[in-house]
């Protein structure tokens, strides 16, 4: 039986502030649901990630800011640094670990700059959200055996699929305006847009 990591719960003190922070980083807003004064769930998903992040009111007993060592993976650590800086995250400089594998807790044994041999899994940067929940960004260019999943697009409900179709329709309308003609290949264009959007890769022009 496959068991895939679906959600990580992050404890925050101000839900709207956290929502603004993560969506400003380009993370997709999947849900913002409140069933009363004391219960609210916000779900966001990093670009290209199959797993999402949830925070809100009464969704965890953890103290705000206590989540540490949450990892994101990119294929270019220096490009990630530039993008996170541009989007307003207070990031560390790129670093590698003195031991040469993974990294120590906190800021121990950090060596400035990417891994000298630019080995996969060897270069990092870190940043925190407004509550101090700690994220680490790791450069992975070649996966370890068994760690590569095939690209898939899944929609968990009819409204989820309908929303993706609506976004593709808007984008396709802009595409037709650019080319100045009706695009008879719209089904293929829609499919490409929806799969790439969910995978977090470049959208079709």
């Amino acid at each position: 039986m496959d068991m895939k990591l679906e959600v990580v719960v992050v404890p925050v003190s101000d839900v709207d502030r956290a929502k603004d922070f993560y969506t400003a980083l380009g993370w997709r807003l999947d849900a913002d649901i409140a069933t009363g004064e004391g219960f609210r769930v916000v779900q966001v998903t990093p670009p290209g990630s199959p797993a999402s992040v949830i925070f809100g009111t009464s969704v965890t007993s953890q103290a705000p800011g206590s989540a540490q060592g949450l990892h994101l993976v990119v294929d270019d650590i220096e490009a990630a640094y530039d993008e996170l800086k541009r989007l307003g995250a207070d990031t560390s400089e790129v670093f590698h670990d003195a031991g040469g594998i993974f990294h120590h807790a906190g800021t121990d044994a950090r060596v400035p700059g990417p891994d000298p041999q630019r080995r996969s899994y060897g270069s990092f940067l870190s940043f925190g959200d407004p509550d101090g929940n700690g994220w680490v960004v790791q450069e992975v260019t070649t996966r370890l055996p068994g760690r590569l999943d095939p690209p898939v697009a899944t929609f968990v409900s009819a409204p989820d699929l309908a929303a993706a179709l609506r976004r593709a329709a808007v984008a396709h309308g802009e595409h037709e305006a650019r080319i100045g003609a009706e695009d008879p290949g719209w089904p293929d264009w829609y499919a490409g847009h929806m799969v790439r959007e969910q995978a977090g890769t470049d959208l079709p022009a």
Side-chain angles (χ1 to χ4, degrees):
M1 178 183 294
D2 288 347
M3 292 188 181
K4 298 180 180 180
L5 181 64
E6 180 73 11
V7 166
V8 174
V9 179
V10 173
V12 304
S13 59
D14 186 320
V15 179
D16 288 319
R17 182 178 66 174
K19 177 181 172 181
D20 290 344
F21 173 79
Y22 286 111
T23 56
L25 296 184
W27 296 21
R28 187 181 70 235
L29 177 63
D30 299 322
D32 185 348
I33 303 168
T35 60
E37 288 294 324
F39 188 67
R40 180 181 175 189
V41 179
V42 177
Q43 178 174 306
V44 294
T45 302
S49 175
S52 300
V53 173
I54 279 180
F55 51 85
T57 305
S58 298
V59 297
T60 178
S61 59
Q62 292 177 280
S66 60
Q68 300 296 318
L70 303 164
H71 275 65
L72 301 166
V73 168
V74 299
D75 58 12
D76 186 329
I77 196 69
E78 292 172 328
Y81 172 84
D82 291 341
E83 180 168 313
L84 286 167
K85 276 289 191 183
R86 178 176 60 81
L87 296 174
D90 184 14
T91 72
S92 73
E93 297 297 320
V94 175
F95 66 91
H96 61 282
D97 191 82
I101 57 169
F102 201 59
H103 60 83
H104 286 69
T107 58
D108 292 346
R110 289 189 178 186
V111 181
D115 178 77
Q117 300 174 43
R118 209 61 181 264
R119 291 170 294 185
S120 189
Y121 295 94
S123 302
F124 309 89
L125 65 81
S126 63
F127 70 93
D129 72 6
D131 282 288
N133 294 299
W135 293 88
V136 175
V137 180
Q138 181 179 30
E139 183 178 75
V140 176
T141 53
T142 303
R143 284 285 191 181
L144 293 171
R147 289 286 290 118
L148 185 61
D149 294 327
V152 295
T154 58
F155 301 95
V156 297
S157 66
D160 186 31
L161 175 58
L165 283 165
R166 283 192 291 272
R167 291 192 296 272
V170 170
H172 188 259
E174 296 170 352
H175 162 69
E176 288 187 323
R178 284 193 298 272
I179 66 175
E182 185 175 330
D183 177 16
W186 65 266
D188 294 331
W189 200 99
Y190 272 44
H193 184 281
M194 294 163 67
V195 169
R196 293 185 192 183
E197 180 186 57
Q198 196 165 85
T201 57
D202 291 338
L203 297 178

